[in-house]
Structures are given as structure tokens and as C-alpha cells.
């Protein structure tokens, strides 16, 4: 089993749609969680950290479920500019940060 | 506001050649990292450094070497290039986390695309 697993997609959604991604992790001792965004052939950029209580940043909402060992990302009112690959990132301790392979999102007009 | 700067952006090497990928950051971050990203895969940690003079192996260090003589610079050396090292290489940096941990978000350079033929 991979340490961090994501549905690779692609998710094809129309503008204005709501879309959600999940990411599961295997190490129950994982400490910190992040969502990064990666545009085609570009570097990953931090989208948001994921807190135990859940957190929201504009159209983006992140949730953590420690009991089931997954994190989620919800995007409301999708924009064309949201088209990208979304990376689930899990910090497990020391210097071990695990990057998921990513979920591809295409938002179409 | 440069952040993390990587050079070169693209390079083609022949098997057996050597090269150094440069990385510099201007955010005064203690921690720096080198990753490789193969198509459809997550980033794999090659080496990391917690400060000048201190480096350690990550998940996939074979075939690579690093040095950290200053806080700003963290070059990655390929000694004998092999086709399996064809990849996109990202350098990243972060401030230290709680205690001796790297649980802070990382800032990435825009990558070096390396092909070995």
C-alpha cells in the first residue's frame, strides 16, 4: 500500500461546479497535512495547510479525518484557472514528507 | 522577490557525463531539499540539508551528491549520468518547524528538466 494515495483522475467539471478530492494516508502517526497545486510543467505551490478542525480559504475547504486517515479538498464555484494537478502532502515526522502523485482537474467553459 | 532559484531550466546530457544543478534561496531558510519527479509519480526526496555543512540522504540518493557550504546554496551533483536519472528536479526550502522537524510548508524552485540520452 502506498503511503499517500490519491485518485489520479482526471476530473472533468464545468465552470461553476463543486468538486471534491480525497487523499488517504497509511501512517497513523502523520502530523501535518497540506494541499499543493501544480500547474503543467511547473513547480508545486502551497494551496493550503489542513488543520484538525478543518479550514476554509475562499472557495477552497480542507478537512482532516484522522480516524479514517484521509484528508479532503473541496472546491466550490470552479474557475477555468483551477485546472491543475492537486497534490496531497503528508508530513510523518523527522524529515519525511510524502507527496502524493496528484489528482488532475480540468475545468471547462 | 526571487525565492528559490534553480539553474539550468533544461539540460540534455550524454550517458556518463557529469553536471551540477544549482539551487539558491534568499529567504534565509535553514532547511533545503532536492526532489525528483517522474511522470505520473509523486516527488521523491533525494537529499536534504538542515543548515550549512549538514546534509543527509533522502529516499533516492544513489547516483547523486550534495554540498551545503552556505545557507543560500544547495547544489546537486550527478557524477555519472544514467538514463534512469532523466527526470524533473525540484529544489525546495523551508523554515525549521517545531523542534528539529521539517513540518513547515516548502517553497519550490521552478525545476530543472534533465534528459539523459
Amino acid at each position: 500500500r502506498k503511503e499517500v494515495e490519491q485518485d489520479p483522475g482526471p476530473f472533468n467539471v464545468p465552470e461553476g461546479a463543486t468538486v471534491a478530492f480525497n487523499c488517504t494516508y497509511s501512517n497513523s502517526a502523520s502530523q501535518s497535512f497540506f494541499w499543493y497545486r501544480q500547474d503543467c510543467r511547473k513547480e508545486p505551490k502551497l494551496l493550503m495547510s489542513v488543520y484538525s478542525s478543518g479550514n476554509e480559504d475562499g472557495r477552497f475547504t480542507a478537512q482532516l479525518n484522522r480516524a479514517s486517515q484521509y484528508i479532503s479538498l473541496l472546491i466550490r464555484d470552479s474557475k477555468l484557472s483551477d485546472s491543475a494537478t492537486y497534490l496531497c502532502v503528508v508530513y510523518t515526522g523527522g524529515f519525511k514528507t510524502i507527496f502524493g502523485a496528484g489528482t488532475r482537474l480540468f475545468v471547462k467553459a | 522577490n526571487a525565492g528559490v532559484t534553480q539553474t539550468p531550466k533544461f539540460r540534455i546530457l550524454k550517458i556518463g557525463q557529469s553536471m551540477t544543478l544549482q539551487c539558491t534561496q534568499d529567504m534565509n531558510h535553514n532547511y533545503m531539499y532536492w526532489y525528483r519527479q517522474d511522470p505520473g509519480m509523486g516527488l521523491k526526496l533525494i537529499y536534504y540539508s538542515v543548515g550549512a555543512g549538514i546534509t543527509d540522504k533522502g529516499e533516492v540518493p544513489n547516483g547523486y551528491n550534495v554540498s551545503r557550504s552556505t545557507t543560500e546554496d544547495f547544489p546537486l551533483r550527478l557524477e555519472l549520468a544514467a538514463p534512469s536519472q532523466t527526470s524533473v528536479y525540484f529544489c525546495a526550502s523551508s523554515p525549521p518547524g517545531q523542534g528539529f522537524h521539517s513540518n513547515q510548508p516548502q517553497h519550490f524552485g521552478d525545476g530543472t528538466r534533465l534528459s539523459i540520452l
Side-chain angles (χ1 to χ4, degrees):
Chain A
R1 182 183 174 188
K2 289 182 181 178
E3 292 183 273
V4 173
E5 291 200 75
Q6 297 183 250
D7 181 344
F11 286 64
N12 293 289
V13 302
E15 270 189 298
T18 296
V19 62
F21 312 134
N22 281 345
C23 164
T24 59
Y25 60 93
S26 61
N27 187 339
S28 59
S30 297
Q31 301 174 22
S32 303
F33 308 87
F34 309 92
W35 284 104
Y36 279 70
R37 170 194 169 124
Q38 186 173 27
D39 293 299
C40 186
R41 302 177 68 79
K42 301 276 192 174
E43 75 276 20
K45 291 183 179 178
L46 178 69
L47 180 65
M48 59 198 306
S49 302
V50 186
Y51 303 124
S52 296
S53 55
N55 48 304
E56 188 173 309
D57 183 2
R59 299 182 292 108
F60 299 84
T61 300
Q63 300 259 329
L64 167 63
N65 185 317
R66 285 194 182 272
S68 300
Q69 293 183 204
Y70 74 87
I71 66 172
S72 63
L73 178 67
L74 180 78
I75 305 175
R76 291 181 298 277
D77 188 22
S78 298
K79 311 291 185 190
L80 294 176
S81 57
D82 294 334
S83 296
T85 298
Y86 290 84
L87 307 180
C88 169
V89 181
V90 177
Y91 170 72
T92 60
F95 286 87
K96 192 166 184 182
T97 300
I98 310 297
F99 286 77
T103 298
R104 295 181 71 188
L105 171 65
F106 293 103
V107 181
K108 300 187 176 183
Chain B
N1 205 12
V4 179
T5 303
Q6 291 184 237
T7 56
K9 294 195 183 325
F10 305 94
R11 185 72 184 268
I12 298 174
L13 284 182
K14 293 183 179 178
I15 295 171
Q17 285 186 320
S18 301
M19 78 164 293
T20 299
L21 282 64
Q22 302 291 344
C23 175
T24 187
Q25 53 94 8
D26 62 1
M27 297 174 283
N28 203 32
H29 285 168
N30 292 60
Y31 297 176
M32 295 188 74
Y33 317 83
W34 273 106
Y35 294 92
R36 59 177 290 172
Q37 185 177 34
D38 299 322
M41 306 289 286
L43 279 75
K44 301 291 185 186
L45 182 64
I46 305 171
Y47 270 94
Y48 66 91
S49 169
V50 302
I54 307 171
T55 63
D56 208 346
K57 296 177 180 178
E59 186 181 355
V60 290
N62 291 343
Y64 307 95
N65 277 300
V66 293
S67 59
R68 184 97 182 268
S69 57
T70 67
T71 299
E72 294 78 20
D73 300 308
F74 190 39
L76 177 72
R77 179 86 178 157
L78 281 73
E79 291 294 347
L80 290 171
S84 61
Q85 294 177 304
T86 293
S87 190
V88 180
Y89 291 83
F90 289 105
C91 178
S93 71
S94 71
Q98 297 170 336
F100 195 66
H101 298 288
S102 67
N103 61 349
Q104 296 301 303
Q106 298 177 21
H107 302 257
F108 285 82
D110 55 10
T112 294
R113 283 154 185 79
L114 180 63
S115 293
I116 297 161
L117 307 175

